[in-house]
Amino acid sequence: MDVSLKDPFWGPQTSYLNFCEEDYVVTRYVAEFINTCSSLIYILYGIYGLSQLRSKPSASFARAIPWLGLMGVGICSAGYHMTLKYHTQMSDELSMHLLTTPLVYRVLTFQVSPQWRRLIGIVLALEFTTVMVVHMVMDEFLLHAVTFGAGALLIARRTMQNISHQIPNPVIKQKTRNIGRFGIFCFLFGYFAWLVDVWACNHLTRIRELVGAPVAFFFELHGWWHFFTAIGAYVAVAVVDMITSGEVHTDPSPQLAWPVSLAARLMGPDEAQTKKQH
């Protein structure tokens, strides 16, 4: 047996979830090596988003909060997969709400009265606190999963509606709509990879043993969940920020990170919209 398996640096697992990747195979300091490394993608997208935000004249701390939340997801996810401890699992799951809640607030308070903005803020704060307390005290996973899924669905739906209503230029509207659809597809594909990783773990393990490293790393599907959901989350933050800040008159695709910028160029506006613009 490998020495890393005999003497894991973080001690025995205390988290109640453990994914298909074998523990402490690469090093005794990291329980799930690929899942930990792939979590860093969220941090990279968050840093890129903040760097782009700094160059904008209307930059503010409020606009930076979702980007910080995206970085927080990466930090907490990496900590969880590195240690497999209960408290790091809780931080990972709570960080997902720290990302979605500010985005839900922005899409719901866009162009509403100050009174409604305060009311929505209070309701979301109560919802966030309730979910967090119940989840941590009672180990209740369903409420966490349902509220996170509902938040992600609400963000996607309202954002696509706002693209149609708020962007006057038909070419920019079509490009932004394609970017939004690409983000939704990435998120759903990442969720599919997560499901396969759970349901077909034994088959994936045998495949990894057969092909060996480093090819085996490509069959760590929870790592692909991180990669594709990071893209989806990045798109959500970027498009929500673009619309709610009123920056709807320029093509956003040149400033977007890879592979979103590439997807935007390949998808492009359809021919009918381009002719309409001219």
Side-chain angles (χ1 to χ4, degrees):
M1 181 180 294
D2 190 278
V3 67
S4 63
L5 296 176
K6 293 180 181 178
D7 185 26
F9 179 80
W10 302 103
Q13 172 191 342
T14 58
S15 63
Y16 58 77
L17 287 179
N18 194 348
F19 296 97
C20 189
E21 183 176 0
E22 295 182 73
D23 301 341
Y24 294 104
V25 171
V26 176
T27 170
R28 65 184 291 262
Y29 298 102
V30 179
E32 297 176 346
F33 186 80
I34 297 300
N35 289 346
T36 301
C37 292
S38 59
S39 298
L40 303 180
I41 299 171
Y42 299 99
I43 302 175
L44 294 177
Y45 277 128
I47 292 173
Y48 182 86
L50 286 176
S51 68
Q52 292 292 305
L53 180 62
R54 289 183 60 185
S55 63
K56 297 178 180 179
S58 59
S60 64
F61 178 72
R63 292 180 64 180
I65 289 176
W67 295 116
L68 295 173
L70 186 58
M71 294 173 63
V73 170
I75 294 170
C76 294
S77 176
Y80 166 39
H81 290 291
M82 181 172 64
T83 64
L84 292 181
K85 293 297 184 180
Y86 176 79
H87 64 276
T88 55
Q89 179 187 337
M90 289 295 104
S91 68
D92 176 39
E93 293 169 354
L94 299 187
S95 70
M96 297 161 66
H97 294 274
L98 290 173
L99 171 61
T100 57
T101 303
L103 290 178
V104 170
Y105 176 79
R106 291 190 70 171
V107 298
L108 290 182
T109 60
F110 179 56
Q111 294 183 335
V112 301
S113 67
Q115 292 81 7
W116 272 108
R117 191 174 295 114
R118 284 193 293 269
L119 178 60
I120 292 171
I122 293 171
V123 171
L124 286 177
L126 290 174
E127 181 263 346
F128 175 82
T129 303
T130 301
V131 171
M132 297 308 96
V133 171
V134 171
H135 183 50
M136 289 187 293
V137 173
M138 301 178 60
D139 289 341
E140 210 289 321
F141 183 79
L142 182 61
L143 181 62
H144 151 71
V146 169
T147 51
F148 173 75
L153 180 63
L154 177 60
I155 293 165
R157 187 169 186 271
R158 289 298 293 265
T159 299
M160 297 303 290
Q161 290 175 341
N162 285 332
I163 290 172
S164 298
H165 298 153
Q166 301 300 325
I167 302 179
N169 185 302
V171 174
I172 297 176
K173 179 185 296 185
Q174 185 63 33
K175 283 189 175 184
T176 309
R177 187 181 288 122
N178 288 341
I179 291 168
R181 288 169 177 165
F182 177 70
I184 294 171
F185 168 80
C186 286
F187 192 91
L188 293 176
F189 188 81
Y191 181 61
F192 172 75
W194 185 89
L195 290 176
V196 174
D197 184 72
V198 172
W199 291 340
C201 180
N202 291 334
H203 299 290
L204 291 170
T205 300
R206 285 195 292 268
I207 292 173
R208 290 195 293 264
E209 291 174 350
L210 179 65
V211 299
V215 178
F217 294 156
F218 291 97
F219 294 91
E220 299 288 0
L221 298 193
H222 194 84
W224 289 110
W225 147 264
H226 290 159
F227 178 76
F228 284 103
T229 55
I231 295 173
Y234 167 75
V235 169
V237 177
V239 175
V240 168
D241 180 72
M242 168 192 169
I243 293 174
T244 57
S245 61
E247 298 173 353
V248 295
H249 301 289
T250 57
D251 180 6
S253 55
Q255 288 76 42
L256 294 174
W258 186 90
V260 184
S261 57
L262 175 61
R265 289 197 301 271
L266 294 177
M267 297 171 74
D270 61 41
E271 185 178 350
Q273 290 286 15
T274 304
K275 289 181 177 179
K276 183 179 178 181
Q277 173 67 11
H278 294 286

